[in-house]
């Protein structure tokens, strides 16, 4: 909000602050206007929040924090305001006003104090103001940046006061930026110019917003900002930000592409084994991923207090579950159908429908909620404008590890040697004493197990429901065929290039068209090079 | 081989057709339930089938209808649009049901429409939809765009002060039509074209990275921005997850969704979503005696007190009660008689109001805006004064502004052009 008179009124504001201090003393703790927080009158609530924040009460911060998190409740039995420790039933209560413990109470006996988005913004600003005195410089800086969204005169006055005393350089800089933002709203062009200069170089979202307004024109094409100097300075600052953003954006698009690519690779690696190495058109591949995702869900249900670690248990569990189901499918169905691709396709398609309906009957047709561990949510800030989300980063790493492990397994172990031998020449391998049937079962189990691992990763990205597999089966086949059947490296290159191509097309073609373009490209590519990017050469190609 | 396959399919289909044992067929009134129990839409539609069974059960406990017991005929169209038409024909021609309650997606409704018009059946359609339709044989108990989308935009514009709009939707008929109406409405209200961003994604889209980052960029132009989402069902989860991960909070850029209800939220970890909005005509959290009673009987019927109750279920409750009243009024289940009798019939909705069937076969409903809470429920933050009558043909599209629907004798047309004074485009 722009308040041009902020600085002129500084002195009267100081007086106001003094008055507020007086009000603090006058407002005894029991007089915090909590009653106004009830009901649906959000204007009254906003006023009450301001009053609580300005009261100087030692309970103010606890109350506002609880209100933000939805932990401030009204006990129905005695209409007393309480704060619950966590959303559990029965909840542990403390009195909102004096902080004394009040034992526990079932949630049914409590009524939550409702807030809306506007109040959330207000609470964020009020809490940030309280955090300005926090001894931790990171907390102070976060508080200052939170205040940039809506710098009220009172906020600016306290920042002007605090800035010269600030020891930490980053925090002081952030304070200058917020003060500068307020100055941009001043009536005096010189002050506005000063404000623009103060914010130049900052990558804060609000700075960009504010500068955009300065260079904006009205529908008649006349500039909204009267001062030429201010416009020029704002334009230059804006261009600098935009250039910097454009650089980051390129990196970000590559990251998006890589992360989509690695999800595709992860989903396709299992198929690269069952379809690529063994030649089984496995339509139930997607359902193996689904089983992996459901295993993650079951593990989380079994260990409700260890969500953070549950993923590490889910990874081997999903591999085993999907792998075992894969072996059962191979021994029970697929082994009777080798060399008859059409029948295999139909049979595994049947298996996929069967597995979907089984999951629907056991877990209900509704999606299941798989919680994301804390260490996987949020984003990693590189510099001040490049943000990479943690879950994608972890999935890239996980996918790369799975791929490397699989490659090593096929290359350096006895099983890997036998798998390659059987897939190249079954009769010869058997003549050399390889138990082809046993190798088939293990290979299919391995491919299915890897699909299960993909399921664990997907449970962190998308819905865990009976249809999870179907949405990935087409993409998986696409990647394997594009990369060249029977070639793991091909799968990697194909997955990554499709992912990156998709993400570069998406911004200007839109998600729907980008997908169509990629599919058309693949059709044309397969027409010209039916064996994919890295075709099998030599004798093995005939097998 | 071919023949055995065929018999196999036939017997499988027969096995899917679950029907409660007909005791004395001639003494019962049959009610068709046409909801997918398998396939992608099963997630949403199975609950509606259970709701219908509950309502029929309750009506039978009250002594049935016209002295006869009601009998549910449940079929499974398996999320397969052409199969919807086949199953509808089976219900009307073979089972001779008095009314059908069913469909979810607009494409399934469009698929059965000719069948209902040809065989003169009655369909009660319980889901919010894009409007631009009024059939003599269909009763739309879900919201038309003016009962959901338009009030939601009004709320954002007037109460939140939103100046810049992202219209994000799944690429099919409902989002496309709704966004067309919304775009016209926003421009009507003076929003400039560069302040509207329209984005479509395929069904089940799961990689939202670049779109969320685009929305973030679009939102950094110095004006309050909001996303109006017609993203369908499943794709919402990864969308909200990505929003949370990229640090877009509801306080900065709120998302108002038209397809996310309590049922969908039960499959999501809702903590990162707190504060995002949904517009519906009903929330499970509404504090009203009728609602508490309905939820209680639902929990007893389904034998699980964790199950949610949602907007389309409420629409079925209203639709079923209206049909019962109309049959009692007409003293017959004959479709033509019921069509006449039902117009003007009132039935209480669960949020404390009285919904009424209008001549255009839509009903009056309240509009509620709710914010998602950490427990997977919505908290009402705004609601319309009184009930909003459903408008079949949008007043914000130039081509449908001039069209009226009125199934009383005055007009008896669902597609009446007030300029050319002609009734067109429909059999009736």
């Amino acid at each position: 909000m722009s308040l041009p008179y902020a600085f002129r009124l500084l002195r009267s504001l100081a007086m106001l602050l003094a008055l507020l201090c007086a009000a603090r003393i006058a407002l005894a703790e029991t007089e915090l206007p909590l009653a106004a927080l009830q009901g649906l009158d959000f204007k009254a609530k906003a006023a009450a929040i301001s009053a609580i924040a300005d009261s100087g009460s030692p309970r103010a911060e606890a109350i506002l924090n609880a209100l933000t998190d939805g932990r401030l409740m009204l006990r129905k039995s005695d209409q007393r305001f309480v704060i619950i420790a966590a959303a559990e039933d029965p909840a542990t209560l403390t009195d909102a006003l004096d902080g004394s413990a009040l034992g526990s109470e079932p949630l049914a006996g409590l009524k939550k104090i409702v807030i809306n988005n506007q109040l959330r913004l207000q609470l964020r600003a009020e809490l940030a103001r309280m955090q300005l005195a926090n001894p931790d410089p990171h907390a102070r800086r976060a508080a200052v940046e939170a205040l940039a969204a809506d710098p009220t005169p009172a906020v600016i006055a306290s920042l002007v006061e605090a800035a010269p005393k600030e020891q930490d350089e980053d925090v002081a800089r952030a304070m200058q930026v917020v003060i500068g933002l307020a100055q941009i709203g001043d009536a005096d062009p010189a002050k506005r110019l000063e404000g623009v200069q103060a914010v130049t170089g900052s990558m804060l979202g609000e700075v960009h917003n504010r500068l955009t307004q300065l260079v904006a024109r009205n529908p008649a094409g006349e500039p909204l900002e009267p001062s030429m100097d201010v416009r020029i300075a704002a334009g230059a600052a804006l261009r600098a930000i935009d250039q910097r953003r454009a650089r980051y954006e390129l990196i970000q698009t590559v990251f998006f592409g890589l992360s989509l690519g690695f999800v595709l690779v992860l989903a396709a690696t299992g198929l690269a084994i069952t379809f690529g190495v063994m030649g089984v058109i496995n339509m139930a591949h997607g359902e193996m991923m689904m089983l992996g995702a459901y295993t993650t869900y079951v593990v989380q249900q079994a260990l409700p207090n260890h969500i953070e670690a549950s993923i590490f248990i889910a990874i081997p569990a999903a591999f085993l579950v999907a792998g075992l189901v894969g072996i059962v499918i191979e021994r029970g169905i697929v082994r009777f159908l080798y060399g008859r691709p059409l029948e295999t396709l139909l049979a595994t398609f049947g298996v996929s429908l069967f597995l979907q309906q089984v999951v629907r009957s056991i877990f209900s047709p509704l999606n299941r909620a798989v919680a994301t561990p804390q260490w996987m949510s949020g984003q990693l800030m590189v510099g001040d404008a490049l943000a990479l989300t943690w879950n994608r980063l972890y999935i890239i790493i996980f996918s790369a590890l799975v791929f490397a492990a699989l490659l090593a397994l096929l290359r350096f172990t006895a099983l890997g040697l036998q798998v390659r031998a059987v897939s190249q020449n079954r009769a010869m391998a058997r003549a050399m004493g390889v138990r082809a049937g046993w190798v088939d079962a293990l290979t299919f189990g391995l491919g299915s197990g890897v699909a299960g691992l993909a399921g664990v990763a997907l449970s962190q990205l998308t819905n865990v429901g009976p249809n999870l597999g179907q949405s990935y089966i087409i993409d998986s086949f696409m990647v394997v065929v594009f990369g060249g059947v029977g070639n793991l490296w091909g799968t990697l290159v194909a997955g990554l290039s499709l992912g990156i191509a998709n993400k570069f097309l998406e911004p200007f073609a839109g998600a729907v068209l980008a997908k169509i373009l990629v599919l058309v490209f693949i059709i044309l590519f397969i027409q010209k090079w039916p064996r994919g990017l890295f075709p099998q050469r030599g004798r093995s190609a005939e097998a | 081989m071919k023949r055995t396959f065929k018999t196999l399919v036939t017997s499988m289909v027969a096995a899917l057709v679950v029907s409660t044992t007909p005791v004395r067929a001639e003494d019962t009134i049959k009610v068709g339930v046409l909801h997918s129990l398998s396939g992608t839409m099963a997630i949403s539609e199975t609950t509606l089938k259970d709701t219908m069974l509950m309502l029929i059960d309750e009506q039978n406990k009250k002594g049935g209808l016209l002295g006869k017991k009601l009998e549910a005929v449940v079929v499974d169209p398996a999320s397969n649009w052409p199969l919807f038409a086949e199953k509808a024909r089976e219900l009307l021609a073979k089972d001779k049901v008095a009314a059908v309650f069913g469909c979810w997606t607009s494409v399934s409704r469009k698929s059965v429409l000719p069948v209902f018009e040809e065989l003169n059946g009655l369909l009660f359609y319980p889901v919010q939809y894009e409007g631009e339709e009024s059939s003599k044989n269909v009763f739309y108990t879900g919201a038309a765009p003016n009962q959901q989308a338009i009030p939601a935009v009004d709320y954002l514009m007037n109460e939140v002060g939103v100046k810049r709009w992202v219209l994000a939707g799944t690429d099919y008929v409902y989002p496309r039509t709704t966004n067309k109406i919304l775009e016209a409405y926003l421009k009507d209200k003076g929003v400039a074209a560069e302040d509207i961003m329209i984005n479509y994604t395929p069904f089940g889209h799961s990689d939202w990275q670049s779109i969320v980052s685009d929305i973030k960029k679009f939102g950094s132009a110095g004006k309050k921005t909001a996303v109006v989402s017609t993203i369908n069902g499943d794709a919402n989860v990864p969308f909200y997850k990505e929003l949370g991960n990229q640090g877009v909070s509801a306080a900065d850029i709120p998302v108002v969704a038209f397809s996310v209800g309590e049922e969908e939220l039960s499959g999501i970890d809702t903590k990162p979503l707190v504060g995002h909005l949904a517009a519906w005509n009903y929330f499970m959290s509404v504090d009203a005696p009728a609602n508490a009673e309905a939820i209680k009987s639902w929990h007893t019927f389904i034998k699980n007190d964790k199950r949610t109750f949602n907007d389309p279920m409420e629409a079925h409750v209203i639709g079923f009660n209206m049909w019962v009243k109309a049959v009692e009024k007409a003293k017959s289940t004959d479709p033509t008689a019921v069509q006449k009798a039902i117009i003007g019939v009132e039935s209480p909705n669960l949020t404390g109001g009285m919904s009424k069937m209008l001549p255009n076969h839509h009903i009056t409903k309240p509009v509620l805006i709710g914010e998602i809470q950490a427990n997977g429920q919505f908290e009402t933050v705004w609601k319309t004064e009184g009930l909003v009558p459903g408008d079949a043909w949008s007043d914000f599209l130039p081509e449908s502004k001039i069209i009226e629907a009125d199934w009383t004798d005055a007009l008896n047309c669902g597609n009446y052009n007030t300029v050319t004074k002609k009734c067109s485009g429909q059999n009736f």
Side-chain angles (χ1 to χ4, degrees):
Chain A
M1 198 174 288
S2 67
L3 288 152
Y5 44 88
F7 283 85
R8 289 200 202 150
L9 294 189
L10 244 176
R11 212 189 317 170
S12 31
L13 273 171
M15 273 168 66
L16 192 79
L17 274 176
L19 271 174
L20 280 176
C21 293
R24 279 177 196 182
I25 304 156
L27 248 167
E29 281 159 33
T30 42
E31 280 173 309
L32 289 179
L34 288 181
L37 293 174
Q38 297 178 65
L40 281 180
D41 182 353
F42 290 103
K43 288 211 176 69
K45 286 186 191 210
I49 291 170
S50 302
I52 294 171
D54 292 338
S55 70
S57 157
R59 295 293 299 157
E61 193 171 342
I63 291 174
L64 296 186
N65 263 323
L67 188 57
T68 312
D69 303 344
R71 290 183 294 114
L72 185 66
M73 304 260 180
L74 184 68
R75 184 152 74 181
K76 287 179 188 162
S77 56
D78 57 359
Q79 297 291 307
R80 188 200 281 254
F81 284 91
V82 295
I83 293 174
I84 61 168
E88 54 197 11
D89 205 5
T92 321
L93 310 182
T94 48
D95 190 292
L97 287 173
D98 56 22
S100 59
L102 288 176
S104 68
E105 176 91 16
L107 281 181
L110 301 170
K111 193 167 175 1
K112 194 165 116 185
I113 306 297
V114 188
I115 55 171
N116 65 6
N117 284 324
Q118 288 92 308
L119 294 186
R120 259 179 220 108
L121 278 174
Q122 191 195 350
L123 280 167
R124 196 200 278 173
E126 301 284 13
L127 284 168
R129 209 144 61 90
M130 294 179 182
Q131 289 293 320
L132 280 181
N134 195 307
D136 176 18
H138 289 286
R140 279 206 304 279
R141 186 172 173 194
V144 173
E145 284 177 355
L147 286 172
D150 188 13
T152 57
V155 167
I156 297 303
S158 55
L159 283 179
V160 169
E161 202 176 310
K165 284 181 257 161
E166 178 58 54
Q167 299 295 319
D168 189 282
E169 213 170 288
D170 284 349
V171 182
R173 171 82 189 111
M175 284 179 168
Q176 292 303 337
V177 168
V178 178
I179 295 171
L181 274 175
Q183 262 178 311
I184 291 176
D186 201 282
D188 177 8
K191 284 268 180 203
R192 287 206 296 275
L193 190 60
E194 220 171 89
V196 172
Q197 280 155 357
V199 301
T200 302
S202 163
M203 294 297 283
L204 208 63
E206 275 78 18
V207 170
H208 187 270
N209 291 356
R210 208 68 189 78
L211 292 175
T212 314
Q213 286 168 4
L214 280 184
V215 297
R217 284 163 189 275
N218 65 9
E222 297 150 7
L224 295 176
E225 164 62 46
S227 160
M228 183 81 168
D229 289 343
V230 176
R231 282 207 306 273
I232 291 173
L238 203 57
R239 266 195 304 283
I241 296 179
D242 285 341
Q243 270 169 13
R244 198 126 156 242
R245 279 196 178 177
R247 265 203 307 281
Y248 283 129
E249 233 161 65
L250 184 72
I251 304 175
Q252 205 166 22
T253 310
V254 172
F255 173 76
F256 288 163
L258 277 182
S259 83
L260 174 64
F262 267 109
V263 170
L264 289 176
V265 170
L266 193 57
T269 322
L271 195 71
I273 298 190
T274 48
F275 176 53
V277 177
M278 297 178 71
V280 175
I281 300 179
N282 181 13
M283 296 298 285
H285 173 74
E287 277 56 45
M288 297 297 140
M289 292 192 239
M290 175 193 77
L291 287 183
Y294 271 97
T295 312
T296 318
Y297 168 71
V298 171
V299 167
Q300 283 197 349
Q301 291 307 104
L303 303 166
N305 299 321
H306 302 89
I307 298 293
E308 306 295 312
S310 62
I311 297 286
F312 295 104
I313 303 163
I315 289 173
F319 182 80
L320 286 180
V321 169
L324 286 176
V325 173
I327 290 179
V328 170
I329 294 173
E330 202 277 339
R331 286 290 91 185
I333 298 163
V334 175
R335 72 163 162 154
F336 302 110
L337 301 168
Y338 280 125
R340 288 148 67 189
L342 258 184
E343 278 93 327
T344 322
L345 188 149
L346 273 180
T348 50
F349 184 57
V351 170
S352 88
L353 292 180
F354 168 79
L355 286 174
Q356 279 176 37
Q357 202 58 42
V358 165
V359 166
R360 224 172 251 138
S361 310
I362 298 177
F363 294 99
S364 99
L366 297 176
N367 291 332
R368 300 284 94 182
V370 174
T372 307
Q374 204 56 48
W375 52 271
M376 277 187 83
S377 26
Q379 47 189 353
L380 168 73
M381 293 298 291
V382 183
D384 40 12
L386 179 63
L388 308 176
T389 47
W390 277 117
N391 62 346
R392 301 278 173 177
L393 264 179
Y394 281 116
I395 283 168
I396 289 179
I397 297 168
F398 179 65
S399 171
L401 283 179
V402 168
F403 186 82
L406 201 65
L407 214 59
L409 185 96
L410 286 181
R411 195 131 215 98
F412 302 119
T413 64
L415 175 69
L417 185 67
Q418 293 180 355
V419 168
R420 281 181 289 144
V422 171
S423 69
Q424 279 176 17
N425 192 328
R426 172 174 293 267
M428 181 63 87
R430 289 186 58 168
M432 305 297 274
V434 175
R435 288 165 63 196
W438 181 77
V439 170
D440 284 337
L442 281 189
T443 317
F444 202 89
L446 180 68
S448 304
V450 172
L453 292 180
V456 179
L458 290 180
S459 76
Q460 294 303 322
L461 289 182
T462 182
N463 296 288
V464 178
N467 304 316
L468 178 131
Q470 291 197 318
S471 27
Y472 284 92
I473 184 82
I474 307 280
D475 287 340
S476 305
F477 269 105
M478 201 168 76
V479 169
V480 173
V481 173
F482 179 52
V485 176
N487 190 325
L488 274 184
W489 284 109
T491 306
L492 181 74
V493 174
L496 293 187
S497 45
L498 288 182
I500 292 177
N502 210 321
K503 283 297 154 187
F504 271 96
L505 284 173
E506 219 169 79
F508 53 91
V512 181
L513 196 59
K515 199 149 193 185
I516 294 174
L517 287 176
V518 167
L519 285 172
V520 168
F521 164 74
I522 289 193
I523 293 172
L524 294 177
F525 185 90
I526 296 295
Q527 292 285 324
K528 183 92 174 91
W529 295 278
R531 287 174 181 275
L533 277 176
F534 299 98
Q536 295 272 45
R537 285 180 221 282
R539 258 183 291 177
S540 59
E542 311 303 321
Chain B
M1 178 66 196
K2 202 171 175 188
R3 176 173 281 248
T4 47
F5 184 62
K6 210 170 177 181
T7 19
L8 191 72
V9 170
T10 329
S11 57
M12 269 165 74
V13 167
L16 285 172
V17 181
V18 194
S19 60
T20 47
T21 34
V23 197
R24 280 157 301 164
E26 69 276 15
D27 281 358
T28 63
I29 296 173
K30 287 185 178 173
V31 178
V33 180
L34 184 64
H35 283 301
S36 303
L37 310 179
S38 55
T40 47
M41 291 314 294
I43 175 174
S44 306
E45 292 193 63
T46 314
T47 357
L48 289 184
K49 180 234 10 174
D50 290 330
T51 311
M52 282 318 297
L53 294 183
M54 171 181 86
L55 289 169
I56 289 167
D57 187 53
E58 277 174 1
Q59 189 64 33
N60 281 339
K61 279 188 191 139
K62 279 189 248 168
L65 187 56
L66 303 180
K68 292 180 187 174
K69 289 272 178 221
L70 292 177
E71 179 196 338
V73 185
V74 180
V75 291
D76 177 18
S79 315
N80 173 342
W81 321 137
L83 195 57
F84 264 92
E86 277 175 48
K87 290 288 171 190
R89 186 171 293 278
E90 185 183 308
L91 283 174
L92 293 176
K94 196 174 125 255
D95 294 311
K96 307 244 179 285
V97 296
V100 176
F101 292 80
C103 295
W104 180 288
T105 56
S106 288
V107 47
S108 68
R109 187 190 68 251
K110 295 274 187 208
S111 149
V112 301
L113 200 60
V115 179
F116 277 91
E117 294 193 340
E118 179 197 329
L119 301 174
N120 194 23
L122 297 178
L123 172 69
F124 286 82
Y125 177 67
V127 183
Q128 104 279 12
Y129 84 120
E130 68 280 4
E132 308 300 295
E133 187 183 299
S134 175
S135 162
K136 186 180 184 182
N137 300 82
V138 183
F139 297 93
Y140 308 83
T141 52
N146 76 319
Q147 291 174 306
Q148 194 186 23
I150 299 278
V153 166
D154 279 343
Y155 167 77
L156 289 173
M157 201 182 280
N158 304 330
E159 309 279 318
V160 186
V162 172
K163 298 272 188 307
R164 232 164 131 79
W165 305 82
V166 181
L167 309 180
T170 302
D171 201 7
Y172 75 110
V173 53
Y174 166 67
R176 284 219 177 241
T177 318
T178 308
N179 286 345
K180 201 162 89 184
I181 295 172
L182 285 181
E183 197 187 351
Y185 181 72
L186 287 173
K187 286 190 174 153
D188 213 44
K189 291 270 171 184
V191 177
E194 71 261 22
D195 284 338
I196 303 174
M197 164 177 157
I198 299 182
N199 183 292
Y200 291 105
T201 40
F203 266 101
H205 192 68
S206 64
D207 195 285
W208 290 91
Q209 300 178 87
S210 15
I211 290 163
V212 168
S213 127
D214 277 355
I215 291 175
K216 250 167 96 176
K217 207 164 96 189
F218 188 76
S220 70
K223 292 178 184 167
K224 178 83 183 169
T225 306
V227 180
V228 177
S229 150
T230 36
I231 295 164
N232 196 339
D234 277 10
N236 279 297
V237 180
F239 176 56
Y240 283 121
K241 272 194 179 169
E242 192 64 39
L243 281 174
N245 280 335
Q246 293 202 20
V248 180
S249 80
D252 304 318
I253 301 181
V255 178
V256 58
F258 302 146
S259 313
V260 179
E262 288 89 348
E263 194 83 34
E264 285 77 16
L265 287 184
S266 71
I268 316 183
D269 178 18
T270 48
K271 276 176 219 76
L273 274 60
V274 171
H276 286 303
L277 305 152
W280 287 107
N281 308 108
Y282 166 86
F283 287 120
M284 190 178 175
S285 64
V286 169
D287 200 7
N291 187 27
E293 203 178 298
I295 294 171
K296 203 173 138 211
S297 51
W298 167 243
H299 284 164
T300 334
F301 179 81
I302 206 82
K303 296 188 187 67
N304 177 355
D305 58 8
K306 294 257 185 301
R307 288 291 292 273
T308 51
F309 204 84
N310 61 22
D311 182 275
M313 291 165 77
E314 190 224 11
H316 257 344
V317 172
I318 300 171
F320 181 78
N321 288 335
M322 283 180 167
W323 175 73
V324 167
K325 277 190 187 165
V327 168
E328 277 165 354
K329 194 168 140 194
K331 298 193 176 56
S332 146
T333 58
D334 174 59
T336 314
V338 174
Q339 274 161 18
K340 272 210 170 2
I342 201 166
I343 291 172
V345 160
E346 287 194 336
S347 171
N349 56 42
L350 301 184
T351 48
M354 201 67 159
S355 284
K356 185 175 173 185
M357 180 61 76
L358 302 169
N360 62 2
H361 283 188
H362 290 62
I363 68 173
T364 57
K365 307 188 105 182
V367 186
L368 282 63
I369 309 283
E371 283 189 2
I372 298 175
Q373 305 294 305
N375 62 358
Q377 288 287 335
F378 291 93
E379 202 66 65
T380 312
V381 290
W382 184 81
K383 109 185 244 202
T384 48
E385 308 255 334
L387 306 188
V388 180
D391 184 19
W393 300 93
S394 174
D395 292 341
F396 301 102
L397 294 178
E399 65 270 26
S400 62
K401 195 154 68 179
I402 46 168
I403 293 180
E404 246 178 59
D406 185 341
W407 289 107
T408 56
D409 287 334
L411 206 58
N412 209 21
C413 175
N415 190 355
Y416 180 77
N417 191 318
T418 48
V419 176
T420 58
K421 309 250 179 257
K422 264 191 198 139
C423 184
S424 65
Q426 264 157 328
N427 294 340
F428 300 97

